[in-house]
């Protein structure tokens, strides 16, 4: 019993140290991003905000096409802001080991921390951008529904998905450097293959079963349900949630298989 208690205490201590180091690295990333920039926090929301305004102008003022729900600016931001978290995290994960190669080799902390600190710092930026969505929602008198309680669920699912993908990409890029450029191309394709500027319900019926296996579709539906409950497609949300945890499981396996080889390569 004493041995079991000692093991439990050791694990608790290790987990506590892991969280402390993760928080220190996350704060470092945020400080580097904000203290070296004049606009600081504004940059984290400027890109999705400008993209939203451009799409809003094009679809509502130029072509007068119905591709989402009204108010369209809220419809756009409710997916573009989380997309920014996803895109930036996955993109930066390609450099997770390469940028800090010396620290990765010399420290004994679990190497997953170099991936998780990217997910955490970009996640904090996403949380800090939510007031922008709230501002436009208030300004356009968008109704808030009870589905807002599902918003944290979407955040957790997205965090699981990003972590899983990043754990796959980060070590593989060390061996296949061209994967970094490939990831950028895939992200561009995925932007249009995901219901961000349009609604899942606007797709032809034959494409909807395929879209259900894009976990971002279900996650973004959950986000949008706060203001547009009719956007929540339960099948997409459930299948997307399952895919998120499958990706995380695959990510953990790939990372463990590659970890030693990565340390030798960098």
């Amino acid at each position: 019993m004493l041995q079991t208690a000692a093991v439990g205490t050791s694990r608790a201590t290790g987990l506590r140290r892991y969280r402390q180091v993760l928080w220190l690295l996350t704060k470092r990333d945020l400080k580097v991003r904000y203290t070296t920039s004049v606009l600081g926090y504004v940059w984290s929301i400027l890109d999705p905000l400008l993209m939203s305004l451009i799409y809003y102008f094009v679809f509502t003022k130029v072509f007068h096409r119905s591709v989402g729900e009204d108010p369209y600016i809220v419809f756009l931001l409710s997916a573009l802001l989380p997309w920014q978290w996803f895109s930036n995290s996955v993109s930066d994960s390609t450099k997770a080991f390469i940028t800090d190669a010396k620290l990765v080799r010399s420290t004994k902390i679990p190497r997953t921390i170099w991936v998780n600190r990217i997910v955490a710092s970009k996640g904090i930026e996403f949380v800090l951008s939510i007031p922008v969505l709230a501002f436009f929602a208030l300004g356009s008198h968008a109704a808030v529904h009870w589905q807002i309680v599902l918003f944290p669920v979407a955040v957790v699912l997205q965090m699981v998905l990003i972590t899983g993908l990043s754990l796959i990409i980060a070590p593989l890029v060390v061996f296949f450097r061209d994967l970094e450029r490939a990831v950028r191309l895939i992200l561009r394709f995925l932007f249009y293959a995901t219901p961000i500027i349009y609604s899942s319900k606007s797709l032809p019926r034959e494409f909807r079963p395929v879209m259900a296996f894009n976990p971002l579709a279900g996650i973004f539906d959950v986000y949008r349900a706060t203001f547009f409950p009719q956007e929540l497609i339960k099948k997409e949300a459930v299948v997307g949630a399952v895919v998120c945890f499958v990706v995380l499981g695959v990510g953990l396996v790939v990372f463990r298989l590659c970890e030693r080889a990565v340390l030798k390569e960098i």
Side-chain angles (χ1 to χ4, degrees), residues 47-195:
D47 185 40
L49 182 58
L50 287 177
M51 288 177 66
S52 296
L53 292 174
I54 290 170
Y55 285 118
Y56 173 79
F57 178 77
V58 169
F59 288 114
T60 64
K61 304 299 180 182
V62 178
F63 293 110
H64 300 284
R65 296 286 181 91
S66 178
V67 291
E69 302 288 343
D70 290 324
Y72 188 55
I73 189 67
V74 176
F75 180 87
L76 277 171
L77 284 171
S78 57
L80 271 174
L81 293 177
W83 166 260
Q84 198 77 0
W85 177 19
F86 175 83
S87 177
N88 289 341
S89 296
V90 172
S91 180
D92 284 5
S93 70
T94 60
K95 303 174 183 177
F97 294 131
I98 299 170
T99 303
D100 295 307
K102 291 183 179 180
L103 283 173
V104 174
R105 287 197 307 267
S106 60
T107 55
K108 294 183 179 181
I109 54 176
R111 271 75 188 192
T112 54
I113 204 166
W114 301 101
V115 171
N116 290 333
R117 53 107 180 181
I118 294 173
V119 180
S121 62
K122 300 302 179 184
I124 290 173
E125 289 180 355
F126 165 66
V127 172
L128 292 176
S129 70
I130 292 177
V132 177
L133 175 61
F135 172 80
F136 280 95
L138 289 172
S140 58
H141 305 289
V144 176
H145 301 270
W146 70 264
Q147 285 85 352
I148 191 174
V149 300
L150 299 176
F151 199 95
V153 176
V155 173
V156 172
L157 288 176
Q158 185 168 350
M159 182 176 63
V160 169
L161 175 64
I162 296 172
T163 302
L165 285 174
S166 298
L167 288 173
I168 296 170
I169 294 169
L172 292 182
V173 170
V174 175
F175 309 114
F176 311 103
R177 297 300 174 94
D178 288 341
L179 185 58
E180 182 177 347
R181 294 185 178 180
V183 167
R184 293 177 185 173
L185 291 175
I186 293 171
L187 286 173
R188 290 179 186 175
F189 167 78
L190 195 58
F191 176 83
Y192 294 102
T194 302

Side-chain angles (χ1 to χ4, degrees), residues 219-266:
I219 292 171
F220 292 172
D221 285 351
V222 176
Y223 281 125
R224 280 177 168 153
T226 297
F227 307 102
F228 314 102
Q230 66 276 17
E231 286 295 311
L232 182 58
I233 302 175
K234 292 181 180 179
K235 181 180 178 180
E236 278 191 5
V238 172
V239 173
V242 172
V243 173
C244 287
F245 285 99
V246 170
V247 171
L248 178 61
V250 173
L252 290 170
V253 171
V254 170
F255 193 89
R256 288 175 182 173
L257 292 174
C258 297
E259 187 174 359
R260 290 185 179 179
V262 166
L263 294 177
K264 292 179 181 179
E265 186 71 20
I266 61 175

Side-chain angles (χ1 to χ4, degrees), residues 193 203 205-215 217 235-236 239:
L203 291 171
R205 289 190 176 273
E206 57 267 25
F207 289 114
R208 292 183 187 178
V210 178
M211 183 60 72
F213 288 93
N214 177 356
K235 181 180 178 180
E236 278 191 5
V239 173

